[in-house]
Amino acid sequence: MRRFTVPVGRHRAIRLSAVVWLTLVWMLLWDRPTVANLLSGLVLAALLQLAFPLPPVGPQLRLRPAGLAVFVLRAAADLLHSAGPLAWQAAGGRGRAKRNSVIAVPLRTRSDLILTIMAISLSATPGTLVLDVRHSDATLFLHVLGAADDAAVEKARRDVQALERRTVRAFGTRDDLRALAEDGS
């Protein structure tokens, strides 16, 4: 993918995509879009890039429409499915296990982006909370409500691994897809 930049000096450049993004954020901060807001946003975006140059970021994100649709639909279903049992447990409903577990789930991909999307997705789902992330071996440590026995803990691990597959198929690079394929997923 080609990056559109405007060279400024010998070692600096202004990325046009960043100018557009920063200007859009600037415009959203104001009450209504005006020409003055647009112009000041463009100038501010260019000045920010000159004052705080960032290194180029590699292609870490790929949007795959079919994978994204599966990811979003399944996330919505997981939210709806987990909210009921969580409310029941919080209300002290009978027949529900009160034990919880802290589990470690090693991931197959090493991408910081995939790790971040997964941590956000898991923390947004009622009943799970990401306690720690070990970057050295891409392991997530989770607090899981209602994981009272070994079978429930293994189901939670399988659910996280399934989320990893969906996340990689929605956002992952070729290397991420290859890491899943090497593991047989």
Side-chain angles (χ1 to χ4, degrees), residues 23 26-27 30-44:
T23 303
W26 181 255
M27 295 288 289
W30 296 100
D31 185 31
R32 64 182 82 89
T34 65
V35 174
N37 287 341
L38 176 65
L39 294 176
S40 63
L42 290 169
V43 169
L44 184 63

Coordinates of all heavy atoms in Angstrom, one line a residue, residues 23 26-27 30-44:
T23 N -7.5 16.0 11.5 CA -8.5 17.1 11.2 C -9.9 16.7 11.5 O -10.7 17.4 12.0 CB -8.3 17.5 9.7 OG1 -7.0 18.0 9.5 CG2 -9.3 18.7 9.4
W26 N -10.4 16.9 15.2 CA -10.5 18.3 15.5 C -11.9 18.8 15.2 O -12.5 19.5 16.0 CB -9.4 19.1 14.8 CG -9.4 20.5 15.0 CD1 -9.9 21.5 14.2 CD2 -8.9 21.2 16.2 NE1 -9.7 22.7 14.8 CE2 -9.1 22.6 16.0 CE3 -8.4 20.7 17.4 CZ2 -8.8 23.5 17.0 CZ3 -8.0 21.7 18.4 CH2 -8.2 23.0 18.2
M27 N -12.4 18.4 14.1 CA -13.7 18.9 13.7 C -14.8 18.3 14.6 O -15.8 19.0 14.9 CB -14.0 18.5 12.2 CG -13.2 19.1 11.2 SD -13.5 20.8 10.9 CE -15.1 20.8 10.1
W30 N -15.6 20.3 17.9 CA -16.4 21.5 17.9 C -17.8 21.3 17.7 O -18.3 20.3 17.3 CB -15.8 22.5 16.8 CG -14.4 22.8 17.1 CD1 -13.2 22.3 16.6 CD2 -13.9 23.7 18.1 NE1 -12.1 22.8 17.2 CE2 -12.5 23.7 18.1 CE3 -14.6 24.6 19.0 CZ2 -11.8 24.5 19.0 CZ3 -13.8 25.4 19.8 CH2 -12.4 25.4 19.8
D31 N -18.6 22.4 18.0 CA -20.1 22.3 17.9 C -20.6 22.0 16.5 O -21.5 21.2 16.3 CB -20.6 23.6 18.5 CG -22.1 23.6 18.6 OD1 -22.7 22.5 18.8 OD2 -22.8 24.6 18.4
R32 N -20.0 22.7 15.5 CA -20.5 22.5 14.2 C -19.3 22.7 13.2 O -18.3 23.4 13.5 CB -21.6 23.4 13.8 CG -21.2 24.9 13.8 CD -22.4 25.8 13.5 NE -23.2 26.1 14.7 CZ -23.0 27.1 15.5 NH1 -22.1 27.9 15.3 NH2 -23.9 27.2 16.5
P33 N -19.3 22.0 12.1 CA -18.2 22.2 11.1 C -18.3 23.6 10.5 O -19.3 24.0 10.0 CB -18.4 21.1 10.1 CG -19.9 20.7 10.2 CD -20.3 21.0 11.6
T34 N -17.1 24.2 10.5 CA -17.0 25.5 9.8 C -15.7 25.5 9.0 O -14.8 24.7 9.2 CB -17.0 26.7 10.8 OG1 -15.8 26.6 11.6 CG2 -18.2 26.7 11.7
V35 N -15.6 26.5 8.1 CA -14.4 26.6 7.3 C -13.2 26.9 8.2 O -12.1 26.4 8.1 CB -14.6 27.7 6.2 CG1 -13.2 27.9 5.5 CG2 -15.6 27.2 5.2
A36 N -13.4 27.8 9.2 CA -12.4 28.1 10.2 C -11.9 26.9 10.9 O -10.7 26.7 11.2 CB -12.8 29.2 11.1
N37 N -12.8 26.0 11.4 CA -12.5 24.8 12.1 C -11.7 23.9 11.2 O -10.7 23.2 11.6 CB -13.7 24.1 12.6 CG -14.3 24.8 13.8 OD1 -13.6 25.6 14.5 ND2 -15.6 24.5 14.1
L38 N -12.1 23.8 9.9 CA -11.4 22.9 9.0 C -10.0 23.4 8.8 O -9.0 22.6 8.8 CB -12.2 22.9 7.7 CG -11.5 22.1 6.5 CD1 -11.4 20.6 6.9 CD2 -12.3 22.2 5.2
L39 N -9.8 24.7 8.5 CA -8.5 25.2 8.2 C -7.6 25.1 9.5 O -6.4 24.8 9.4 CB -8.6 26.7 7.7 CG -9.3 26.9 6.4 CD1 -9.4 28.3 6.0 CD2 -8.5 26.1 5.3
S40 N -8.1 25.5 10.6 CA -7.3 25.4 11.8 C -7.0 23.9 12.1 O -5.9 23.6 12.6 CB -8.0 26.0 13.0 OG -9.2 25.4 13.3
G41 N -7.9 23.0 11.8 CA -7.6 21.6 12.0 C -6.5 21.1 11.1 O -5.6 20.3 11.5
L42 N -6.5 21.5 9.8 CA -5.4 21.2 8.9 C -4.1 21.7 9.4 O -3.1 21.0 9.3 CB -5.8 21.7 7.5 CG -6.9 21.0 6.8 CD1 -7.3 21.8 5.5 CD2 -6.6 19.5 6.5
V43 N -4.0 23.0 9.8 CA -2.8 23.6 10.2 C -2.3 22.9 11.5 O -1.1 22.5 11.6 CB -3.0 25.1 10.5 CG1 -1.8 25.7 11.2 CG2 -3.2 25.8 9.2
L44 N -3.2 22.6 12.4 CA -2.8 22.0 13.7 C -2.3 20.5 13.4 O -1.3 20.1 14.0 CB -4.0 21.9 14.6 CG -3.8 21.3 16.0 CD1 -2.7 22.2 16.8 CD2 -5.1 21.3 16.8

